[in-house]
Amino acid sequence: MNAGQRPAAGPRIVEERYDIVVCGGGLAGFCAAVAAARHGAQVCLVQDRPVFGGNSSSEVRVPPQGAASFHAYARETGIISELLIEERAVNHESPVFDNGYINSVWDMVMYNMAVSTPGLTFKLNSSVTEVVMRDVRTVDSVVARVANAETELRLSAETFIDCTGDGVVAALAGCTWRYGTEGRDEFGEPHAPEQASDAVMGSSIHIKAKDVGRPVPFVAPEWAVRYDDPEFFWKGGRGVNPYSGFWWLELSVPWHTIHDNETLRHELTRHALGIWDYIKNRDPVVREEARNYALDWIGQVPGKRESRRIVGEYWMTEHDPLRRTAFPDEVAFGGWFIDLHEPGGLLAEVSERSAVEAPGSQPYMTKSYVGPFGIPLRILIAKDMNNLMMAGRNVSVTHAALGTVRVMGTTALMGQAAGTAAAIALREGIRVRRVPESEVVVKVQQTLLRDGCFLLNAKNEDARDLARLATASASSEAALAPVEPAPGPADKLTARRGQWIAIGADRLDTLAVSLSNDSGAPQQVEVRLYAVDDLWDYRAVPGEPLASAALIVPPGTERWIEWPVQVDVRKYRGRYARLDLLANPHVAWHAASSLEPGHVSAYEIGEGKMRKLGNGVMMSLKVEPPQSCYEASNVLSGVTRPHRYTNLWRSDPAGSLPQWLELRWPQPVAIGSVELTLPGHLLRGYMQYPALYRDQQCPKELVVEAYVDGVWERIAVVNDNYRRRLVVPFAEPLSADRLRVVVLATNGDPSAAIYEVRCYPPDSDNPNERQEDEPNEHAAK
């Protein structure tokens, strides 16, 4: 074309074909796309923003949270865990102040994974505008417009996954969807209102302030909303401070969270500036603290909580998390409480019911506390559609159930499950909607477990895993050690408190707890010992007690009070018991100065329920005889976290490193790779971990050795590790009847520890050679 000539008007059209197209690059879509690509599919990820992460990105800045906020050892693993572990290890800034503190390091961690994943193509700044159907049940392609590029994408595929949040693809494809709140008469849900309505939870923007070391004035523009009444904040459950954005800075009705998104952005900006003006200039308590703070950032992308929910092959109600329904097609789990914000947000009387409850009397939170609970694959498959899935806040749930599954830790798990199921269905040659009712669902579950995910009702049963045929031994094994009380005052026993104990011996002869009694007179405390189903068995009375007694606590502080329980527990070996002290407000039970892995505590909240204590703590405890609950055989349990037992090998902390774990077979086996699941990053939620964090429990340096021709031969070396999951491919396959992992150093813990060891033959087909293992593996053979 000669200079001065112009082509015909209209966008450039680009047509491409993939195996799977994922629409939406929030955590659900991102994990779906990466999972599908890792399992051999050619994947295109379409995202309408310039960065990945959705509400967690630096554009919106909501920290990813999930089940670990309410349940110890319930943090989500898999791809989301890889991302968050990497972000904490390299990010100089901590998210401890909640919303507003996500920076671009997080964006780049996600971007790096996307670029580094073979088989994954992505299209940023690209909004889906049209869906082309092959027939009424089958999507043929999606059309997307690339912003500022005058380019139209026409992307066809075998399977589509709608992770747009608003359910754009499903809606354009003609799927049935819901918007609003179901009435109580429809499903009988405890949290449903009497009448159905169009009301939904609102959208938020966040702010971040910075202490600049000197007084900084702030004058709000005339168009900002003016706030004057302190009671609006503290009576409405809207706590203010001078340094971070606020989850309750939220609006929905009378506006529509999809069609009025731009109006909501402007209105939220008006309110955000008005709230900052109130904090700086009129709040009777905070304004003095805020003198040196300047507004450093204000979001301009509303973070949505709710819009369309697509009807799927199963319609999940809040009864499922409340009852912890066991699904045969379970592919993910949740554990956030049923968190329903008041429609209208700042225009409502209160932000949410749980936020205005007085401590010690929380009926709303009590009835809302759920999980951990399983999530079925069927809520990720659009009803009656051959090739359309969804993940994220647009899945097949009621408004009430959305209150728990909508948080990003949970949506990331649903995304990985959707992407994995889509790729396996493609490989098996069946429609994805047929997977839940076929044997393929077991392959999906086993693949998710191998890829580092956790399922409540499934364990490793992979026939290809050679480690399942081995026996395990170790250089040493820790036992449950006495845990001394932490310094300082202890909380009073205003309610029943329980401490989990892993049973690793035939008897429990003596239990002792450190108590204080400030009443000046002897006090009596009722004690119970129960067998419990798992680490999250929160029934205040889980059955008939194994033993019960009344302890007499004399006046004084930090007294070890012994209970000669004398119970035969051999039938409970490899399970948990729970020691409960019943309420006596004159007595305090001291928390432990440290935490033995897999041992947590809880307190009674009412309605026969208990709840995790603090951020995941252990109570002071002495057990006789010592419980050998960290045996080498735990690495073959098929479970990679504390659940129904510790499931952890841990070396004796009194011994020095290195320490080793050995697998032995009756005869030599051909091994091509080893896969390790290591401890750390499970106990607490993401926000509890500081900047540049490397979990102390995680092995830092280790070697893999094989016993070949009567000699231990070094096969691979791992250095400078901080990741939870490692894939160690061997440079050459080997035949051996003994293999061991030697932990040379940890990131600070005195014990070596491993949750799981898997071994695979050289011809084991697993496309998921995770980026997580680089650059730590160096083959030595």
Side-chain angles (χ1 to χ4, degrees):
M1 183 180 295
N2 295 327
Q5 291 181 306
R6 298 289 184 267
R12 179 184 61 167
I13 295 174
V14 176
E15 296 184 359
E16 295 175 351
R17 182 166 188 85
Y18 298 89
D19 296 323
I20 298 168
V21 169
V22 180
C23 299
L27 288 183
F30 187 89
C31 292
V34 170
R38 287 180 174 183
H39 285 288
Q42 293 299 307
V43 181
C44 183
L45 174 58
V46 184
Q47 163 70 329
D48 64 354
R49 303 299 307 168
V51 293
F52 297 117
N55 284 350
S56 76
S57 74
S58 64
E59 292 188 316
V60 185
R61 303 193 182 189
V62 179
Q65 297 194 67
S69 296
F70 294 93
H71 311 285
Y73 289 103
R75 186 164 154 185
E76 295 77 14
T77 48
I79 294 169
I80 182 61
S81 178
E82 296 176 36
L83 290 166
L84 291 176
I85 290 172
E86 185 66 20
E87 187 270 353
R88 286 295 78 205
V90 301
N91 200 338
H92 61 281
E93 194 166 45
S94 176
V96 293
F97 294 132
D98 202 11
N99 300 312
Y101 276 76
I102 299 291
N103 61 24
S104 292
V105 174
W106 173 239
D107 297 339
M108 287 298 103
V109 167
M110 297 188 72
Y111 195 82
N112 177 59
M113 181 179 282
V115 172
S116 304
T117 299
L120 176 60
T121 300
F122 53 86
K123 312 287 186 180
L124 297 178
N125 296 302
S126 302
S127 300
V128 174
T129 59
E130 184 182 349
V131 171
V132 178
M133 302 296 293
R134 193 176 309 160
D135 55 56
V136 293
R137 285 191 170 196
T138 311
V139 177
D140 180 77
S141 59
V142 296
V143 178
R145 182 82 179 213
V146 184
N148 305 310
E150 296 185 5
T151 297
E152 182 177 277
L153 304 173
R154 298 180 181 178
L155 308 172
S156 57
E158 291 302 311
T159 304
F160 296 81
I161 308 177
D162 184 344
C163 301
T164 60
D166 288 338
V168 172
V169 176
L172 290 172
C175 294
T176 303
W177 51 269
R178 289 190 174 199
Y179 182 99
T181 301
E182 289 81 9
R184 188 169 301 169
D185 61 341
E186 186 169 8
F187 301 108
E189 295 174 299
H191 285 79
E194 290 296 332
Q195 300 296 324
S197 73
D198 288 336
V200 297
M201 290 179 282
S203 303
S204 292
I205 64 171
H206 302 298
I207 62 176
K208 178 186 175 184
K210 182 179 181 179
D211 186 345
V212 299
R214 58 182 174 82
V216 182
F218 179 78
V219 179
E222 290 185 3
W223 47 268
V225 176
R226 183 177 176 90
Y227 286 92
D228 292 295
D229 184 5
E231 291 193 0
F232 171 82
F233 295 97
W234 66 269
K235 277 194 173 181
R238 303 178 178 99
V240 294
N241 62 62
Y243 40 76
S244 73
F246 310 105
W247 58 263
W248 47 259
L249 211 165
E250 173 183 358
L251 292 170
S252 59
V253 292
W255 297 287
H256 193 282
T257 55
I258 298 175
H259 304 309
D260 297 324
N261 190 57
E262 266 301 291
T263 302
L264 283 166
R265 181 200 56 76
H266 175 66
E267 290 297 321
L268 285 164
T269 303
R270 293 178 63 232
H271 284 274
L273 294 173
I275 289 166
W276 183 246
D277 173 48
Y278 169 80
I279 290 171
K280 287 286 292 184
N281 299 315
R282 284 181 296 285
D283 184 90
V285 176
V286 177
R287 67 180 177 184
E288 187 59 34
E289 186 183 355
R291 282 170 56 84
N292 290 356
Y293 278 85
L295 192 59
D296 189 56
W297 172 85
I298 180 166
Q300 287 294 280
V301 179
K304 292 183 185 179
R305 290 178 178 84
E306 183 176 9
S307 54
R308 293 187 186 98
R309 291 167 284 116
I310 312 306
V311 176
E313 292 295 319
Y314 181 82
W315 184 247
M316 188 175 185
T317 72
E318 72 163 300
H319 296 298
D320 291 315
L322 285 170
R323 296 168 182 164
R324 296 178 74 183
T325 303
F327 297 103
D329 58 333
E330 176 187 320
V331 290
F333 73 95
W336 192 261
F337 75 109
I338 299 174
D339 184 6
L340 297 172
H341 295 204
E342 289 296 295
L346 291 167
L347 305 184
E349 182 181 358
V350 299
S351 56
E352 64 177 0
R353 297 295 166 184
S354 63
V356 296
E357 292 185 319
S361 174
Q362 298 179 293
Y364 186 91
M365 177 57 82
T366 297
K367 78 171 185 176
S368 305
Y369 199 74
V370 297
F373 58 88
I375 295 174
L377 178 61
R378 285 166 292 160
I379 74 165
L380 311 181
I381 301 173
K383 186 173 179 59
D384 298 328
M385 296 294 289
N386 286 325
N387 66 340
L388 180 58
M389 306 181 73
M390 56 270 188
R393 60 180 172 83
N394 59 359
V395 296
S396 182
V397 296
T398 62
H399 166 81
L402 183 68
T404 175
V405 303
R406 65 182 174 83
V407 292
M408 285 183 281
T410 308
T411 62
L413 295 183
M414 291 191 288
Q416 182 165 356
T420 301
I424 292 177
L426 190 72
R427 194 163 67 227
E428 295 290 324
I430 68 170
R431 296 288 194 185
V432 73
R433 69 186 298 258
R434 299 295 182 194
V435 171
E437 63 192 36
S438 71
E439 294 182 357
V440 176
V441 73
V442 176
K443 292 185 179 181
V444 173
Q445 292 169 330
Q446 290 298 311
T447 301
L448 288 168
L449 292 174
R450 183 177 179 183
D451 292 346
C453 294
F454 169 73
L455 299 176
L456 287 156
N457 297 294
K459 65 179 183 178
N460 175 21
E461 296 177 342
D462 188 349
R464 299 169 297 170
D465 178 11
L466 299 170
R468 297 178 64 238
L469 306 175
T471 56
S473 60
S475 53
S476 69
E477 297 173 338
L480 177 57
V483 189
E484 298 295 326
D491 293 335
K492 300 290 182 67
L493 287 171
T494 56
R496 174 194 295 256
R497 186 169 300 176
Q499 171 62 51
W500 274 253
I501 301 171
I503 302 299
D506 290 343
R507 295 192 57 79
L508 274 177
D509 290 333
T510 304
L511 296 172
V513 292
S514 180
L515 306 178
S516 289
N517 171 8
D518 63 2
S519 71
Q523 294 290 327
Q524 179 174 291
V525 176
E526 299 287 330
V527 292
R528 307 283 188 269
L529 182 70
Y530 296 101
V532 289
D533 291 342
D534 56 48
L535 203 62
W536 308 307
D537 187 343
Y538 294 132
R539 295 173 294 168
V541 182
E544 286 296 318
L546 304 178
S548 60
L551 303 182
I552 302 302
V553 185
T557 60
E558 292 190 24
R559 292 181 177 271
W560 281 103
I561 308 299
E562 289 192 354
W563 177 19
V565 62
Q566 299 294 327
V567 176
D568 186 326
V569 291
R570 70 187 70 196
K571 68 182 290 187
Y572 302 107
R573 287 195 71 157
R575 292 179 54 185
Y576 277 110
R578 196 180 77 212
L579 170 64
D580 283 9
L581 272 61
L582 275 57
N584 182 331
H586 298 292
V587 176
W589 185 2
H590 289 263
S593 57
S594 61
L595 189 147
E596 294 290 292
H599 290 81
V600 296
S601 55
Y603 66 99
E604 189 169 5
I605 58 175
E607 296 187 7
K609 295 181 183 179
M610 301 185 79
R611 175 177 176 174
K612 178 190 77 168
L613 181 65
N615 287 326
V617 298
M618 182 178 180
M619 307 309 296
S620 56
L621 182 69
K622 292 181 180 179
V623 179
E624 289 293 339
Q627 302 297 299
S628 300
C629 56
Y630 300 113
E631 308 99 315
S633 59
N634 286 341
V635 302
L636 304 177
S637 71
V639 182
T640 55
R641 70 175 68 204
H643 181 211
R644 295 185 175 93
Y645 196 50
T646 61
N647 299 313
L648 178 71
W649 165 66
R650 186 175 187 235
S651 71
D652 185 346
S656 59
L657 297 176
Q659 297 279 335
W660 50 260
L661 174 84
E662 180 178 317
L663 298 184
R664 184 185 290 234
W665 290 267
Q667 58 268 337
V669 294
I671 307 172
S673 64
V674 170
E675 300 182 8
L676 304 174
T677 302
L678 306 175
H681 303 280
L682 285 176
L683 176 63
R684 302 184 175 107
Y686 158 73
M687 290 175 59
Q688 303 302 317
Y689 295 91
L692 303 175
Y693 179 78
R694 298 184 175 204
D695 199 296
Q696 292 187 357
Q697 301 169 82
C698 187
K700 182 179 182 180
E701 298 175 8
L702 59 85
V703 297
V704 178
E705 299 177 338
Y707 198 68
V708 180
D709 297 329
V711 178
W712 283 106
E713 184 174 341
R714 180 169 290 189
I715 305 302
V717 179
V718 177
N719 292 310
D720 195 29
N721 177 63
Y722 50 86
R723 298 172 174 92
R724 182 174 184 269
R725 193 157 197 290
L726 297 177
V727 176
V728 185
F730 296 170
E732 297 177 13
L734 60 87
S735 178
D737 62 357
R738 296 166 67 185
L739 182 141
R740 69 183 182 186
V741 180
V742 184
V743 177
L744 305 176
T746 69
N747 282 284
D749 195 275
S751 292
I754 298 174
Y755 276 115
E756 183 177 70
V757 180
R758 294 184 182 220
C759 300
Y760 286 93
D763 59 349
S764 177
D765 178 24
N766 183 13
N768 188 16
E769 293 300 318
R770 284 162 286 277
Q771 279 58 247
E772 192 178 7
D773 58 355
E774 298 176 359
N776 294 324
E777 280 70 48
H778 305 282
K781 185 177 179 183

